[in-house]
Amino acid sequence: MDKIKVGIIGFGTVGSGTYKVLTENFQEIKNKTGLSFQVNKIADLNKELVVEKIGNADLYTDNINEVIEYSDIVVELIGGTTIAREVVEKALTKKKHVVTANKALIALYGKDLFALAEKNNIALMYEAAVAGGIPIIKTIREGLVGNKISWVVGILNGTTNYILSEMKNNGLSFETALKQAQELGYAEADPTFDIEGIDAAHKITILASIVFGIPLNFSETFVEGIRSLDLADVSYAEELGYRIKLLGIAKNNNNKIEIRVHPTLIPSSRLIANVDGPMNAILVNGNMVGPTLYYGAGAGSEATASAVVADIVDIGRLIHQNVIPLIPNYGFQENSLTHKNIANISEITSGFYLRIPIRDSSGVLANITKFFASKNISIDAMTQKESKSSIDQKTDVLIVVKLAKESIIDEIIKDIQSKEFCLSKIIKIRLELLNK
Ligand code: HSE
């Protein structure tokens, strides 16, 4: 069979990794698939970069249209949502199969791009958009197809997982851990998307859509990052037997779908709680298989390229067999997609950790617990730290509630916050037991 022509647009970390995987593992891939994939054209703004990475300018072009014209598969690795979107739309319109690693593009514009791909009977694949090298899209859409999935939770951002690990293991403040992550090249110079949780939110939006068969809609995903996380809470969580992770959570709660990203306490005994450093992990709960856990590199040149190449190979097989895409974009048939209700964050039920900064005096604990009792909320654990200040008797009361509606917890917080003994802002961090 003729070689399958691959055009790469964007030759940064993942683009050059994709070239490397396709060339260095050319024979390995051929042994497995019987197919030959040839990088045909490479477009990037920086010609010198391409020459530096592959040793010559033979494949280089500054013309994106040329890549689209002369390729069977167009690989979009530019990032961002402006030019990348134009490129993908143009390629799909020209009936060229597309592979992208662009999570923002899929989370924000995937709905329309999927429709365009379907209209043109063309594959649009995005394995590398979620959790880099972990083949989680394929796992959910194919490996777990026999299951109804009730929830998926994931450590989907390596930068923040590195920061949280450093805070826990080495007692670093958030700012120091972030600086260290930047020095090691884990965090971008502008790490906003990582630390504000936006990157993880793009990824959980995509996972929620293929787990529940709901059209992509990023605007309904709740996002809270780790910027204001205090080292004190990381330490207190450990003392209580929990670990704080930035989790992406997609849950079907009695047909209300929760899609959220926020710092979360999880029991430290769970396997996923022990995923440290810049790694990713995803826990998927299927009604037949039970909980399954996937772990690996969520970023990096070759790891992400490994997922890009898996998509390229899948498309190569389709081209070879001359069939239309077998796996629907969402993993569900078009007529089975539903616009389920997405829960507002105030409607969710979850566990909660509260840290209440108080001035200690007799009756304060009794005063606090009565607010929970009045709303019928059971306190599962409560600790008062001994005050180290003989002047103002300042200390913290820690409370763990294993299940409550967020709006009720917010009412309790508001009541306690207004009391004279409450010295500063009450800290609320959500908690998930991940046990059913
Ligand atoms: N900034 C991302 C991370 C890269 O830290 O995980 C992969 O999406």
Side-chain angles (χ1 to χ4, degrees), residues 181-347:
Q182 283 171 316
E183 279 161 12
L184 288 167
Y186 294 139
E188 312 284 337
D190 177 2
T192 311
F193 268 35
D194 294 318
I195 61 180
E196 299 293 359
I198 298 163
D199 176 76
H202 289 147
K203 294 166 182 169
I204 197 66
T205 302
I206 297 172
L207 288 182
S209 75
I210 62 167
V211 158
F212 301 125
I214 47 174
L216 286 153
N217 186 356
F218 180 67
S219 62
E220 293 198 275
T221 299
F222 174 81
V223 195
E224 187 182 297
I226 64 165
R227 194 188 283 277
S228 53
L229 193 65
D230 200 313
L231 183 57
D233 296 303
V234 174
S235 309
Y236 284 152
E238 289 291 320
E239 282 177 32
L240 293 165
Y242 294 90
R243 193 147 295 155
I244 299 181
K245 292 290 182 190
L246 182 69
L247 286 191
I249 300 172
K251 207 190 255 189
N252 185 343
N253 205 346
N254 293 325
N255 268 338
K256 265 255 155 130
I257 303 293
E258 300 176 6
I259 315 177
R260 45 193 168 101
V261 169
H262 49 71
T264 314
L265 271 78
I266 52 178
S268 4
S269 55
R270 300 266 176 265
L271 269 180
I272 194 169
N274 294 288
V275 170
D276 266 358
M279 303 304 281
N280 281 195
I282 301 139
L283 186 55
V284 186
N285 193 36
N287 68 341
M288 294 295 152
V289 70
T292 55
L293 180 65
Y294 310 88
Y295 167 87
S301 178
E302 287 99 343
T304 309
S306 160
V308 170
V309 168
D311 279 348
I312 293 173
V313 166
D314 268 356
I315 294 174
R317 287 181 164 131
L318 295 176
I319 294 173
H320 182 56
Q321 293 159 9
N322 200 17
V323 291
I324 55 166
L326 289 173
I327 312 293
N329 290 310
Y330 287 104
F332 280 74
Q333 294 299 309
E334 186 67 25
N335 58 9
S336 299
L337 295 178
T338 49
H339 293 261
K340 290 197 178 71
N341 276 335
I342 310 293
N344 182 278
I345 194 69
S346 62
E347 298 173 284

Side-chain angles (χ1 to χ4, degrees), residues 356-364 367-368 371 392-394 413-424 426:
I356 308 173
I358 60 154
R359 175 178 298 114
D360 191 22
S361 61
S362 63
V364 169
N367 221 326
I368 289 174
F371 288 106
D392 61 4
Q393 292 297 304
K394 187 171 183 269
I413 290 175
K414 199 166 159 227
D415 287 343
I416 299 175
Q417 192 76 73
S418 66
K419 297 293 159 213
E420 180 269 337
F421 63 78
C422 186
L423 293 178
S424 53
I426 296 172

